[in-house]
Amino acid sequence: MVAKVISGPEVAEEIRKELRVKIAQLKERGVTPGLAVVLVGEDPASKQYVRNKERACEDLGLYSRTVLLPWDAPEEEVLKAVDTLNADPAIHGFLVQLPLPNHIDENKVIMRIDPAKDADGFHPINVGRMLIGDPLFLPATPHGIQEMLVRSGNDPEGKHVVVVGRSNIVGKPVAAILMQKKKGANATVTVCHSRTRDLASLVRQGDIVVAAIGSPQFITADMIKPGAVVVDVGTNRVDDPTAKRGYRWVGDVDFEAVKEKASAITPVPGGVGPMTIVMLMKNTVIAACRAAGIDHCPPA
Ligand code: NDP
């Protein structure tokens, strides 16, 4: 069996089309959804993510703002930037790009974000609301994974989903979303991590496997049940002297071998990454709809 490759850009474009309709309705009412990003320091990967977010905003006609603070900015200054965005009516959603430098308490910063503007969905109120099935926003990457599965005809309902990774950003929330008693969810979920015993035998039970480990090509073909659907979240930069830049991006899944065994698979790049950005745009549009008191907001 050769797997169908689920294209992140294609699914993302479908969602962008839906968002354009909502954005036009908002603009008719004089509202331009606004997204801000607080970036502390000059980390090249973070800068690239922020640039991608700015481009995505531009493409959809959203207002975007980047608040750039130096790497050694005191915690108080970061909190002040958060307070300013909380109070700014032109900004409907914003996020603080992680990771933050060690002298800044990440939790303290996240706690300071107004939950109604928390475009990343990382505030404890939003995490709790996600868990009880009444979300204001869903976190972008896990929500993007759910959309990719459903829109590619791989509804998780009734399936055994094995998630490898238990981070607050990907593993835990994707498990929480897919186990909800809801359309596009209703899965039976197993979550594995670095202390899991006999990981391979658990992964082999997965009808759907979500790999969010951060370890290049960790999931090999022998760990995959024939016909399983594989979602690769991993984004690992590996040296490659044959590549123009001297490196390339690979996922957590051995794509070439696994695609011979799975029924569907997401590639890296071109898989989950583009979904993360479009889901962030969606959260911004949802926030703008709510702020404008518009009925029929896209559901979170
Ligand atoms: P974290 O490092 O926060 O979490 C990794 C998880 O993998 C942990 O739960 C860890 O277990 C588990 N793990 C590590 N090694 C093993 C192992 N040998 N066996 C089993 N489990 C293991 O990473 P993130 O969740 O933030 O990100 C995961 C990957 O996804 C990264 O490559 C990241 O770059 C990528 N990513 C991509 C995004 C996108 O938009 N495409 C967005 C976010 C992340 P333990 O908890 O026990 O330590």
Side-chain angles (χ1 to χ4, degrees):
M1 171 180 294
V2 177
K4 174 180 180 255
V5 176
I6 304 171
S7 159
E10 274 176 29
V11 182
E13 183 50 33
E14 240 180 68
I15 296 172
R16 262 195 302 274
K17 265 193 203 146
E18 296 162 11
L19 289 181
R20 283 184 210 283
V21 175
K22 275 286 156 206
I23 294 163
Q25 288 172 357
L26 280 163
K27 289 197 170 174
E28 273 168 25
R29 296 189 180 206
V31 179
T32 300
L35 173 71
V37 178
V38 179
L39 177 60
V40 185
E42 298 273 323
D43 173 60
S46 294
K47 274 179 86 176
Q48 185 58 46
Y49 294 140
V50 172
R51 260 197 301 275
N52 292 344
K53 286 165 191 165
E54 286 168 348
R55 269 193 221 124
C57 283
E58 206 177 303
D59 172 56
L60 282 173
L62 303 194
Y63 170 64
S64 94
R65 186 189 303 164
T66 302
V67 179
L68 190 57
L69 297 174
W71 187 249
D72 57 357
E75 186 177 272
E76 221 18 71
E77 204 176 323
V78 180
L79 293 172
K80 230 168 87 186
V82 169
D83 290 342
T84 305
L85 294 171
N86 279 340
D88 188 337
I91 300 299
H92 300 97
F94 70 95
L95 60 98
V96 179
Q97 185 70 44
L98 304 178
L100 287 169
N102 288 337
H103 66 277
I104 298 172
D105 181 346
E106 251 172 43
N107 282 338
K108 202 167 163 185
V109 173
I110 291 170
M111 291 283 279
R112 192 76 158 243
I113 298 171
D114 176 353
K117 291 192 174 189
D118 174 30
D120 258 342
F122 293 165
H123 189 287
I125 286 189
N126 286 323
V127 176
R129 291 190 67 148
M130 167 186 70
L131 209 59
I132 63 170
D134 180 29
L136 272 183
F137 302 108
L138 290 174
T141 303
H143 194 193
I145 293 168
Q146 182 187 34
E147 288 287 343
M148 276 185 114
L149 287 170
V150 172
R151 290 178 190 247
S152 65
N154 296 293
D155 195 316
E157 168 129 12
K159 306 271 171 57
H160 183 190
V161 177
V162 177
V163 179
V164 191
R166 58 173 164 184
S167 72
N168 290 337
I169 294 174
V170 190
K172 279 183 205 159
V174 81
I177 290 170
L178 297 182
M179 73 165 74
Q180 291 297 320
K181 193 169 183 176
K182 282 190 174 192
K183 229 171 134 230
N186 283 317
T188 304
V189 182
T190 298
V191 180
C192 305
H193 46 76
S194 68
R195 309 290 170 91
T196 298
R197 274 194 221 147
D198 203 2
L199 180 98
S201 76
L202 285 167
V203 176
R204 252 192 306 273
Q205 291 172 32
D207 303 310
I208 297 173
V209 174
V210 178
I213 308 155
S215 182
Q217 301 177 327
F218 182 92
I219 302 290
T220 47
D222 61 303
M223 296 163 90
I224 296 296
K225 176 163 83 174
V229 174
V230 180
V231 178
D232 191 354
V233 189
T235 315
N236 308 292
R237 192 171 137 161
V238 296
D239 292 338
D240 180 357
T242 66
K244 213 165 89 189
R245 293 179 176 165
Y247 64 84
R248 67 194 159 90
W249 295 101
V250 298
D252 288 343
V253 174
D254 180 355
F255 181 83
E256 289 306 325
V258 169
K259 88 171 190 313
E260 301 297 322
K261 210 165 168 190
S263 62
I265 186 167
T266 68
V268 177
V272 175
M275 291 301 297
T276 297
I277 299 216
V278 79
M279 298 319 288
L280 184 66
M281 301 297 122
K282 181 166 179 179
N283 280 348
T284 308
V285 173
I286 291 171
C289 279
R290 284 204 194 107
I294 291 182
D295 293 340
H296 312 299
C297 288

